[in-house]
Amino acid sequence: MLKSALIGAVALTLAGCATVDVANYRSERPPLDLARYFNGTVDGWGMFQDRSGQVVRRFTVRIDGTWDGNRGTLDEHFEFSDGEKQNRVWTLVKDGDRYTGTAGDVVGAGQGIQQGNAFNMRYVLRVPWAGRTIDVDMDDWMWRIDEQTVLNRTAMTKFGFRVGEVTLSLRKR
C-alpha cells in the first residue's frame, strides 16, 4: 500500500512538471509578431486568481510599446480594482524567434520564444507579500486571436506549487 501511494505521488509530481511546447503552435495563424502587435498602445482587462481559483484582484492595463530594431520597450500601466496603481517597464531583445526580457521587478532575465500565434516566456517576478517580497516563477503565455486581440494566461508557482494565475485580454488600439 505504501509503495502504491509513493508511486502515485511521484506520478502526480511529474505530471505537474509537464509543459506545452510552444512549437505546437508554429503553424497557427495569425502569427504573433511582438514588435508589430506591441508597437503603439494596447489596452487590457485582467484578473488574478489564487490557488483555489477565487478571483482576488481585477485590473486594467495600458501598454505603450516602442521598438528600435530588435529592441522593444513595453511600458505597462496597471490600475487595480482596489485603486492601487503600478508601473512595469519591460525591455525585450529579439534574437530570431527567441526573446530576452528584463524589468525592474524581474529577477535576472526572462527567456521567451515565439512560434506561430503563440509566445511563451518564463521569468521570476519579485512580488510584495505580507510586508516583504517573495520571488515567484512565472510561466507566461500569449496567443494571438485576431488582428487586434491577444489572450494572455500566466501560471504563478513557488517551489513547484501553483500559487495563482493571471488571465488577461489585450486589445490593440
Side-chain angles (χ1 to χ4, degrees), residues 112-147:
I113 186 166
Q114 185 276 319
Q115 294 279 308
N117 75 332
F119 175 71
N120 175 234
M121 183 154 64
R122 295 173 188 214
Y123 55 96
V124 176
L125 186 66
R126 184 158 287 152
V127 297
W129 185 74
R132 57 190 180 99
T133 61
I134 61 170
D135 295 346
V136 180
D137 295 312
M138 308 292 279
D139 186 8
D140 195 349
W141 282 88
M142 292 183 195
W143 298 273
R144 187 157 182 200
I145 304 304
D146 59 33
E147 290 303 311

Side-chain angles (χ1 to χ4, degrees), residues 18-124:
T19 61
V20 176
D21 186 348
V22 72
N24 292 349
Y25 300 100
R26 88 170 49 100
S27 63
E28 295 294 322
R29 301 289 176 255
L32 176 55
D33 178 342
L34 294 180
R36 200 171 123 216
Y37 186 81
F38 289 104
N39 190 29
T41 301
V42 174
D43 296 307
W45 302 265
M47 63 184 178
F48 170 73
Q49 294 170 273
D50 65 16
R51 66 179 175 217
S52 72
Q54 180 176 336
V55 176
V56 294
R57 272 191 119 176
R58 293 169 288 116
F59 63 92
T60 59
V61 62
R62 185 189 81 237
I63 305 170
D64 298 313
T66 57
W67 289 82
D68 183 13
N70 68 342
R71 186 180 187 86
T73 301
L74 304 183
D75 189 0
E76 301 175 332
H77 302 271
F78 295 93
E79 188 166 338
F80 293 89
S81 53
D82 61 6
E84 181 185 354
K85 295 181 180 186
Q86 290 181 8
N87 183 238
R88 176 178 299 117
V89 179
W90 280 98
T91 299
L92 297 175
V93 178
K94 180 179 181 183
D95 183 13
D97 62 357
R98 298 193 178 273
Y99 290 80
T100 300
T102 56
D105 53 356
V106 171
V107 179
Q111 300 300 315
I113 186 166
Q114 185 276 319
Q115 294 279 308
N117 75 332
F119 175 71
N120 175 234
M121 183 154 64
R122 295 173 188 214
Y123 55 96
V124 176

